[in-house]
Amino acid sequence: MPIDFLAASCNGTPMRFRFPTMRWQTRCFVGPTARVLKSTIYPRSEPKPVASLVVESDWILPVESPAIRGGFLVVQSGRIEYFGSELPVRYRSWPRVRLEDGVILPGLINSHCHLEFSDIESPLLAVESSDNESTTGGASMVRWLGKVMARRKALVDTGQDIAQIKKEATLRGVREAWSSATRLVVDNVTAPWSEDWLEQASSGFFADRRSEFIDALVCGPPILIRPCVELVDVNEARGKQTWNYALELMSRIDERRSQGVCQTPLGLAPHAPYTASKRLVRGALERTSHPGGLLSMHLAESPEELQWIEDREGPMKDWIEPWIDTEHAMEIGTVDEHLRLLSGSHRALIAHGNYLSDHQIKWLESYRDRMAVVYCPRTHEHFRHARHPANRLAASKIPLFLGTDSRASNPDLSVFEEWKTACRLFPELGPEYWMAACTLRPSEFFGLESSVGTLRVGSRSVLTWVPLGPASVVTQESLWDAILSAERAIPLEMVYS
Ligand SMILES: [Zn+2]
């Protein structure tokens, strides 16, 4: 959820590491999660592959294929050259490290986030609905939104530099995401914002910790951010403001076709049915129906939203009516209408979808090549929503991904924790299903299989390391349980940090 969807404006090279001349040296890395048992020194006379490495691990779990115990992962200049249970002869003279007591997984994908709120220390309280307002016994989205907006207003009133505050929050969010093994974030952005913040955030990840290990694993950005510019048109002025800002960013950034952290083309994010009219969504569609286009929209998120857009009733009525003008009021769309519009996009994300009905899920079956639902388990719990329709979506084979939403409703930005929560709440779908929901499935949906979310030969080696208990007690059968019991996930390249 955004912070200022009603407020006025607040005025607010790929990394190429030099490696070839370095020699791999025998080291004694001792960290909390892994040890190097063996490494190989290249004879000076022997030609050495550039930034190459063999990682021997207790477990390698590609998710789309069975786990490999005592496997080998071969990487070269940031790409996976080979993985398997045996090490082919041609790699046996390559530098080698052995990692113990853990598992290597694909990089994680966060399909819905608002990095700009990453400076919020703990989730804003979602106050209970009062008896005469409540429809489900859950918390009040309207009151929570009021708190989010009040927080922003307080910052503006203090005269602080909002752009600087947002920049620092975004930098913090990118770092937090990466440090918990996230490799792609779909991020709603609002003005003021800059793509330079993303590059700046990632440039300091390794600081003085560069090593041959890191250089071999990571060539290029260690995390990718796909910005979706938020659009709101509760009234004409706000509509023009957000639309013009989106156009300005698109013309500036999409031209560059950046190969850095910031992924292009930029997506668009009509905020929600109570803040973005059908007219606005139609306009956004014209910009995102082409290959690579992406729309992301909060939809069917709360009972209050449904009461407002279906019946013009409920707590949202008093809250939002003072803001909206006649033009907007005439173009408020239902969930059905917005689903139909979103289906015209090349790819569309339905953020939350907590209250999608059976007929809407049935309808989505025809568009599962281009529409996906992003479930945010801990944010869902924060608001004590009715049970998410994850089982029905899974049964209909509709793409279902995981997201964190923002720190305004979530204690951190760990996709790994979202995965654990989804496994706890929907054990019938299984840990493998949920891990695919934050790795392989969104990677395929976005066409990024060679970049993030996969553990395949030829794909980038931006991977996850999950420290487990002693390997002797972990078996094929108990591997997922061991991962579920793990305390954290980290980027593989940070295993020695
Ligand atoms: Zn959100």
Side-chain angles (χ1 to χ4, degrees):
M1 297 295 299
I3 198 164
D4 67 336
F5 59 86
L6 294 177
S9 167
C10 298
N11 299 320
T13 52
M15 289 163 67
R16 296 291 178 203
F17 307 139
R18 193 173 65 83
F19 186 86
T21 59
M22 299 178 71
R23 286 166 56 80
W24 189 264
Q25 296 177 354
T26 303
R27 293 183 174 189
C28 183
F29 291 115
V30 179
T33 58
R35 286 182 297 145
V36 175
L37 299 185
K38 178 183 178 185
S39 60
T40 308
I41 299 177
Y42 268 88
R44 283 187 185 280
S45 56
E46 185 177 321
K48 181 172 69 63
V50 175
S52 305
L53 182 67
V54 175
V55 180
E56 191 178 353
S57 173
D58 282 345
W59 294 98
I60 297 173
L61 182 46
V63 180
E64 60 186 320
S65 55
I68 301 165
R69 183 169 197 166
F72 297 89
L73 172 77
V74 181
V75 298
Q76 185 171 40
S77 300
R79 293 218 174 252
I80 298 172
E81 176 92 5
Y82 165 88
F83 67 92
S85 56
E86 303 291 334
L87 185 63
V89 173
R90 63 184 181 279
Y91 303 123
R92 289 185 184 167
S93 62
W94 284 28
R96 189 191 303 190
V97 297
R98 175 170 170 75
L99 306 182
E100 290 186 320
D101 302 340
V103 56
I104 297 173
L105 287 156
L108 306 178
I109 294 177
N110 184 349
S111 295
H112 181 69
C113 190
H114 306 255
L115 290 169
E116 64 180 83
F117 304 146
S118 301
D119 56 346
I120 296 178
E121 295 299 336
S122 56
L124 303 179
L125 199 60
V127 184
E128 291 282 357
S129 299
S130 63
D131 289 341
N132 62 348
E133 290 175 343
S134 175
T135 53
T136 66
S140 167
M141 175 72 67
V142 168
R143 293 186 189 181
W144 178 85
L145 285 167
K147 287 193 170 192
V148 175
M149 291 170 62
R151 177 182 178 275
R152 165 58 71 96
K153 185 173 183 307
L155 288 175
V156 173
D157 289 348
T158 61
Q160 295 183 67
D161 183 346
I162 296 297
Q164 185 61 28
I165 290 172
K166 286 184 69 180
K167 175 183 174 181
E168 287 172 9
T170 301
L171 261 59
R172 185 172 163 177
V174 174
R175 170 169 281 278
E176 182 181 346
W178 167 76
S179 63
S180 54
T182 301
R183 303 303 191 156
L184 172 66
V185 180
V186 179
D187 183 33
N188 272 33
V189 303
T190 64
W193 177 85
S194 170
E195 69 279 19
D196 294 336
W197 300 349
L198 307 180
E199 311 300 333
Q200 197 176 325
S202 68
S203 66
F205 283 174
F206 305 124
D208 54 357
R209 293 185 290 189
R210 289 238 65 97
S211 69
E212 296 93 331
F213 184 76
I214 292 174
D215 288 351
L217 282 166
V218 183
C219 187
I223 185 170
L224 306 177
I225 309 292
R226 183 80 191 272
C228 293
V229 189
E230 206 158 88
L231 300 171
V232 166
D233 71 341
V234 286
N235 51 55
E236 186 180 0
R238 192 74 179 118
K240 280 184 180 170
Q241 192 180 52
T242 60
W243 186 248
N244 288 340
Y245 186 67
L247 293 180
E248 177 194 323
L249 286 183
M250 289 171 119
S251 64
R252 186 176 83 218
I253 298 171
D254 286 352
E255 287 295 314
R256 288 199 211 166
R257 296 281 162 183
S258 168
Q259 296 300 305
V261 178
C262 182
Q263 293 293 288
T264 56
L266 297 185
L268 290 174
H271 171 244
Y274 49 90
T275 45
S277 71
K278 290 181 284 183
R279 183 184 53 188
L280 188 64
V281 176
R282 280 193 292 270
L285 264 179
E286 290 176 16
R287 292 274 174 171
T288 57
S289 56
H290 56 80
L294 175 64
L295 273 186
S296 177
M297 185 172 188
H298 300 92
L299 196 60
E301 182 178 4
S302 69
E304 292 131 301
E305 170 199 317
L306 299 187
Q307 274 186 297
W308 168 245
I309 63 175
E310 306 284 346
D311 305 319
R312 306 290 187 274
E313 294 293 344
M316 203 160 270
K317 178 181 168 69
D318 290 342
W319 178 67
I320 205 160
E321 263 189 345
W323 296 91
I324 64 175
D325 62 16
T326 309
E327 295 287 310
H328 175 89
M330 291 173 64
E331 283 284 315
I332 294 172
T334 63
V335 173
D336 284 347
E337 289 173 323
H338 280 298
L339 285 175
R340 278 196 290 277
L341 287 171
L342 293 175
S343 70
S345 177
H346 176 68
R347 292 288 182 274
L349 296 174
I350 300 163
H352 305 295
N354 300 330
Y355 294 92
L356 287 170
S357 67
D358 286 343
H359 89 264
Q360 286 158 351
I361 290 172
K362 181 72 185 166
W363 183 88
L364 279 169
E365 286 182 12
S366 302
Y367 298 94
R368 53 192 174 204
D369 61 327
R370 73 194 77 165
M371 298 180 77
V373 175
V374 185
Y375 172 39
C376 302
R378 289 184 296 166
T379 289
H380 190 281
E381 283 202 312
H382 183 69
F383 288 103
R384 298 182 291 286
H385 286 304
R387 187 165 171 79
H388 193 273
N391 281 324
R392 286 179 282 143
L393 291 162
S396 296
K397 295 188 165 38
I398 292 160
L400 179 60
F401 307 152
L402 292 177
T404 59
D405 217 338
S406 77
R407 285 185 67 123
S409 57
N410 207 353
D412 57 55
L413 300 180
S414 169
V415 176
F416 187 64
E417 290 300 321
E418 302 298 337
W419 171 76
K420 288 203 283 188
T421 305
C423 291
R424 171 170 56 81
L425 295 172
F426 294 93
E428 59 275 22
L429 292 176
E432 198 167 341
Y433 173 88
W434 286 117
M435 185 55 74
C438 57
T439 55
L440 181 62
R441 298 294 170 233
S443 172
E444 291 174 336
F445 186 79
F446 296 123
L448 291 173
E449 298 98 314
S450 63
S451 297
V452 289
T454 58
L455 200 162
R456 293 178 182 169
V457 171
S459 66
R460 294 181 68 216
S461 46
V462 281
L463 302 168
T464 301
W465 174 255
V466 177
L468 304 176
S472 58
V473 301
V474 178
T475 63
Q476 284 277 357
E477 294 70 31
S478 67
L479 180 58
W480 281 113
D481 285 340
I483 299 171
L484 277 166
S485 300
E487 289 185 2
R488 64 199 175 113
I490 61 172
L492 180 59
E493 66 270 22
M494 287 292 101
V495 75
Y496 298 123
S497 297

